[in-house]
Amino acid sequence: MSLAHACVDVYQGAVAALVPFFVAERAYAYAAASGVVLAASLLSSVAQPLFGLLTDRWALPWLLPASTLAAAGGVALSGVGGSYALTLAAFAVSGVGVAAYHPEAARAARAAGGDGHRAMGWFALGGNVGFALAPLLVAGVVVPWGLAATPVLAVPGVVGAVLCGVTARRRGAVVAPAGDHARGRADWPAFLRLSGAVVCRSLVFTGLSTFVALYVRERTGGGAAAGTLALCVLYAGGAVGTLAGSRLAGRYGRLAVVRASYAVTLVAVAGVLVVPGPLLYGCVALASAGLYVPFSLHITLGQDCLPGRVGTASGVTLGLTVSVGGIAAPALGALADATSLRAGLVPLLVPPVVAWVLVRGVREPGGQGVAGSGSSSDA
């Protein structure tokens, strides 16, 4: 499940990684370039909770390979032809594929792992590795051959579909009745607060991933390699941050770790805006840690707030984490077009503060506290 997750999330990372190439090769303005992120994000953010509702009623293992191929196909076709409308449509198809994949995959991973933090941490790690590899994959394909070579980017999707097919045959790991998780009462107020915090996290992550490559190139005077490196740093921190989050949660509690992460994110984004030169990479790395440490904790907290609705909770927390921020990307791009790219990133200072305030009102579901880190009763 973790390896397949990596293959799917390559296509979420690829969207932002392709933005500088659309700007350079097709002369897109910042607002137009961020529109491709919106195309991939809008349908995905709306559809993921709907797919979550479906997976709460029925186990849909066939959806895993099918959605993987859709995610891959959209990105593969994004650079074919020069029509902006067709490019948006291709990214929209990819976004729907991502939306269909995550709720069922997160439910299956929770059922297979039977562990509250660590198993989900490994599952989330796979996705974050896919994110981290995306800029390298995109640069390796598009730099030498241009956007017309994007069909080559379908290769990870084919591999992921095969892995998903193998997983789907292990029906004991994938087809777990939703009722297995139906313990306790749903805490909708806490879940809504948590979802608001996830949206805030998404706004910062998507804003940075969309523009950090262009911003670092501008601030450091480097070329495409400098921007790709910054994006890799932002994504690569997920590998360390996700596993660190599950370990820290076992010691200090999930909510304490999540709150601290939002505070770190605020400091890091401020550093990105004011720190000069190559030191920017250190601030990007710190932002990565602040954004990724709570990644898997959001998922398990949401699932525990809504026992019996694991698919719905996963569709909202895991889906919104990586999709809804794209809705705000065109607004940031328009502000950057009207002022400067640096000024366009200033609004990203607000969401971490809002997230911290929202989570202050959330209590550990079921009173688990620190002790709930490793038992299957977390479900």
Side-chain angles (χ1 to χ4, degrees), residues 77 196 200 230 237 276 320:
L77 294 174
C200 292
L320 289 174

Side-chain angles (χ1 to χ4, degrees), residues 10 13-14 16-18 21 129-141 143 227-233 235:
V10 159
L18 284 166
F21 297 100
V129 168
F131 259 109
L133 293 177
L136 298 176
L137 178 64
V138 168
V141 171
V143 168
T228 298
L229 177 60
L231 200 57
C232 286
V233 169
Y235 290 166

Side-chain angles (χ1 to χ4, degrees), residues 74-331:
V75 168
L77 294 174
S78 64
V80 178
S83 167
Y84 185 67
L86 290 178
T87 299
L88 295 182
F91 279 119
V93 169
S94 182
V96 172
V98 168
Y101 173 83
H102 280 98
E104 174 68 7
R107 185 193 63 77
R110 187 77 184 256
D115 179 270
H117 302 333
R118 292 175 186 170
M120 189 59 70
W122 282 103
F123 172 71
L125 171 65
N128 294 334
V129 168
F131 259 109
L133 293 177
L136 298 176
L137 178 64
V138 168
V141 171
V142 179
V143 168
W145 299 308
L147 288 172
T150 54
V152 178
L153 298 176
V155 172
V158 175
V159 175
V162 172
L163 289 170
C164 288
V166 171
T167 302
R169 291 178 182 176
R170 296 180 59 116
R171 300 183 66 84
V174 177
V175 187
D180 284 358
H181 302 284
R183 301 174 185 171
R185 296 180 59 186
D187 187 348
W188 283 101
F191 181 75
L192 291 175
R193 282 177 170 270
L194 180 67
S195 299
V198 169
V199 169
C200 292
R201 187 264 183 198
S202 176
L203 292 172
V204 178
F205 179 79
T206 307
L208 284 179
S209 63
T210 302
F211 296 112
V212 72
L214 294 168
Y215 177 73
V216 169
R217 288 171 63 175
E218 180 182 284
R219 289 289 303 277
T220 64
T228 298
L229 177 60
L231 200 57
C232 286
V233 169
L234 179 65
Y235 290 166
V240 177
T242 302
L243 291 181
S246 62
R247 290 182 177 272
L248 290 170
R251 176 172 295 185
Y252 301 108
R254 290 181 289 186
L255 289 170
V257 173
V258 170
R259 293 180 192 122
S261 299
Y262 296 142
V264 169
T265 300
L266 176 63
V267 173
V269 173
V272 169
L273 294 174
V274 301
V275 171
L279 292 176
L280 268 174
Y281 291 104
C283 295
V284 173
L286 186 62
S288 178
L291 291 167
Y292 273 114
V293 163
F295 187 82
S296 65
L297 306 182
H298 286 150
I299 303 169
T300 58
L301 280 167
Q303 290 174 341
D304 292 341
C305 283
L306 299 183
R309 298 176 182 269
V310 173
T312 301
S314 301
V316 173
T317 55
L318 183 59
L320 289 174
T321 302
V322 291
S323 58
V324 76
I327 298 174

